[in-house]
Amino acid sequence: MTDTLARGAANQAGAVINPNAAAEAQDFLPLNGIDHVEFWVGNAKQAAHYYRTLWGFTPVAYAGLETGVRDRSSFVMVQNDIRFVFTAPLSNSGEIAEHVAEHGDGVRDIAFAVDDVESAWRETTSRGATSALEPTESEGTKGTLRRSSIRTYGDVVHSFVDRSDYNGAFAPGYHRIKSPAPAATGQVLLEVDHCVGNVALGDMNRFVDFYKDVLGFAQLIHYDDKVIHTDYSALMSKVMTNGNGRIKFPINEPAAGKKKSQIQEFLDYYGTAGTQHIALRTEDIVGTVRVLRERGIEFLGMPHAYYESLPDRVGDVGVPIDVLEELGIEADRDEEGYLLQIFTRPVQDRPTFFFEIIERHGSRGFGVGNFKALFEAIEIEQERRGNL
């Protein structure tokens, strides 16, 4: 095992890791975790069907014309500690319609659970954040929901949500779905592990400073373009985390290369900075990926050569190499343990947003040993799209 750990440490060459990041994060903004992620989409009903029948999310609440909401339709979907909201416009004008027209389907809000909405808003705006929503109380038959919001990269916002005095399904204006159609079963998706933001060249450090100075995060890892590169393209990434380590935000920017990187492709088709992918944690990546593949979820594949060298690089990861290759699952090891991960192809027409599924066994990393092989796999997809 000593040799294996040494190999894992070697995989981190060029990556600067800060083991004290959580301790260095400021405590002026206590965040209890991710409350929900809201996607603005072209058709909320179809999105809800997709995530119910393919990904196994259960619809728990709805807002729309039938509930007195006149400008949008929203479905709240839940699986274990993951809560997604899919919202679509009901007309061709307004903020939501403009967002969908520019970006396609994409992440609008990564919302945090907090104990004090007003304090969170005051602390962040006083440190330079732009307000998107001042502290607001929404009254309903199930109690009072408190919420405020600030802006971050691109058109993404962070809401602060306090549910301590609210007992409804999601929020006032939403009705509980009492007899939902059954969700698909067999997958094990537990929580949001991390959310990745893509920003323009030169903006990575600006938003690293934003999360550090405005939200009190600390830098966990820095990957430079010596780590994340191929013969054709490269990117740089810094991972920010909050004080309790529950929230992790890698921030990527493109780096100079012979051809267009996946980050630049995202920026070109999304139209601005945005959330590139969300990683969902599982404790059964083999079973989860197997059933998702059977339902039609498309994942990136790895070449046979990747799996030939995997045993020497990562050692025993509890899953036979032939099973990993069959399903396209990647593995990586560092000094703290190992992880298994896989990435979907984009889940909408534009080559923008996708998902990662990750299973951790001690490792707090992000699969740096897989970056080169992953980039090459993505470049194959880019070449098929004519965008490399």
Side-chain angles (χ1 to χ4, degrees):
M1 182 58 71
T2 301
D3 290 342
T4 302
L5 290 178
R7 287 193 298 271
N11 287 339
Q12 302 291 334
V16 180
I17 303 172
N18 177 12
N20 302 314
E24 294 174 4
Q26 303 298 309
D27 61 0
F28 62 79
L29 183 62
L31 302 176
N32 300 326
I34 292 179
D35 182 86
H36 68 274
V37 178
E38 182 172 13
F39 298 77
W40 280 1
V41 300
N43 189 317
K45 181 175 288 188
Q46 288 185 357
H49 179 78
Y50 170 81
Y51 284 93
R52 179 181 65 81
T53 58
L54 272 68
W55 287 89
F57 283 79
T58 298
V60 298
Y62 165 77
L65 295 175
E66 297 86 347
T67 73
V69 177
R70 309 304 299 176
D71 67 333
R72 67 190 69 190
S73 173
S74 296
F75 288 84
V76 182
M77 313 290 291
V78 170
Q79 184 171 170
N80 293 308
D81 289 333
I82 307 166
R83 183 192 285 125
F84 288 159
V85 183
F86 298 96
T87 297
L90 293 180
S91 72
N92 61 2
S93 62
E95 186 180 23
I96 303 173
E98 292 170 0
H99 190 281
V100 173
E102 179 177 0
H103 306 304
D105 293 359
V107 172
R108 166 61 175 179
D109 190 353
I110 303 173
F112 304 130
V114 300
D115 296 327
D116 189 333
V117 162
E118 185 170 352
S119 174
W121 181 86
R122 184 176 63 251
E123 293 285 357
T124 52
T125 54
S126 69
R127 288 170 168 79
T130 299
S131 175
L133 176 70
E134 293 187 6
T136 301
E137 291 190 349
S138 299
E139 302 283 347
T141 59
K142 299 294 185 179
T144 301
L145 183 78
R146 298 176 181 86
R147 182 169 171 263
S148 61
S149 303
I150 60 171
R151 300 187 183 280
T152 180
Y153 51 80
D155 289 329
V156 179
V157 301
H158 291 313
S159 289
F160 305 111
V161 181
D162 173 15
R163 300 183 178 277
S164 59
D165 293 327
Y166 187 73
N167 297 312
F170 181 67
Y174 287 77
H175 287 186
R176 184 182 300 276
I177 299 176
K178 296 181 180 180
S179 299
T185 59
Q187 72 292 318
V188 182
L189 300 173
L190 299 174
E191 64 181 355
V192 172
D193 185 88
H194 59 273
C195 301
V196 180
N198 283 358
V199 301
L201 179 64
D203 278 353
M204 178 180 67
N205 287 331
R206 178 161 71 93
F207 286 102
V208 165
D209 290 342
F210 171 86
Y211 282 99
K212 177 170 64 72
D213 298 337
V214 173
L215 287 97
F217 284 34
Q219 183 175 312
L220 177 63
I221 304 175
H222 174 203
Y223 300 114
D224 62 25
D225 54 355
K226 296 181 179 64
V227 175
I228 316 178
H229 75 281
T230 68
D231 292 339
Y232 297 112
S233 64
L235 67 83
M236 295 177 286
S237 181
K238 293 184 178 180
V239 181
M240 305 302 291
T241 185
N242 76 317
N244 59 23
R246 294 178 182 174
I247 299 167
K248 296 179 287 292
F249 287 163
I251 303 171
N252 301 335
E253 73 172 15
K258 296 178 182 177
K259 297 186 179 182
K260 182 184 296 186
S261 75
Q262 55 155 307
I263 307 304
Q264 191 59 53
E265 182 187 41
F266 173 96
L267 296 171
D268 289 349
Y269 280 87
Y270 201 70
T272 186
T275 301
Q276 178 210 42
H277 78 266
I278 293 175
L280 305 177
R281 189 178 69 83
T282 182
E283 291 179 351
D284 180 15
I285 193 169
V286 169
T288 294
V289 171
R290 196 180 295 280
V291 299
L292 292 179
R293 280 190 178 279
E294 289 172 355
R295 293 184 200 138
I297 299 297
E298 296 180 321
F299 293 93
L300 292 177
M302 288 291 178
H304 177 65
Y306 169 85
Y307 295 98
E308 285 184 318
S309 63
L310 199 58
D312 289 337
R313 183 165 66 81
V314 302
D316 181 14
V317 293
V319 180
I321 297 299
D322 61 337
V323 174
L324 296 178
E325 182 171 5
E326 173 199 352
L327 297 174
I329 296 171
E330 305 150 39
D332 195 37
R333 183 180 291 277
D334 58 29
E335 64 277 7
E336 295 179 303
Y338 68 92
L339 61 81
L340 304 171
Q341 63 186 161
I342 192 170
F343 300 83
T344 72
R345 290 190 170 101
V347 295
Q348 62 289 303
D349 292 330
R350 300 190 194 194
T352 51
F353 180 82
F354 57 90
F355 284 105
E356 173 186 353
I357 300 174
I358 188 166
E359 179 180 326
R360 295 187 180 275
H361 293 267
S363 173
R364 294 186 297 162
F366 296 84
V368 61
N370 296 325
F371 284 172
K372 183 177 178 64
L374 174 63
F375 245 50
E376 290 172 345
I378 291 175
E379 286 175 350
I380 292 172
E381 299 295 316
Q382 287 181 262
E383 189 169 24
R384 288 172 179 167
R385 296 190 288 261
N387 291 331
L388 182 61

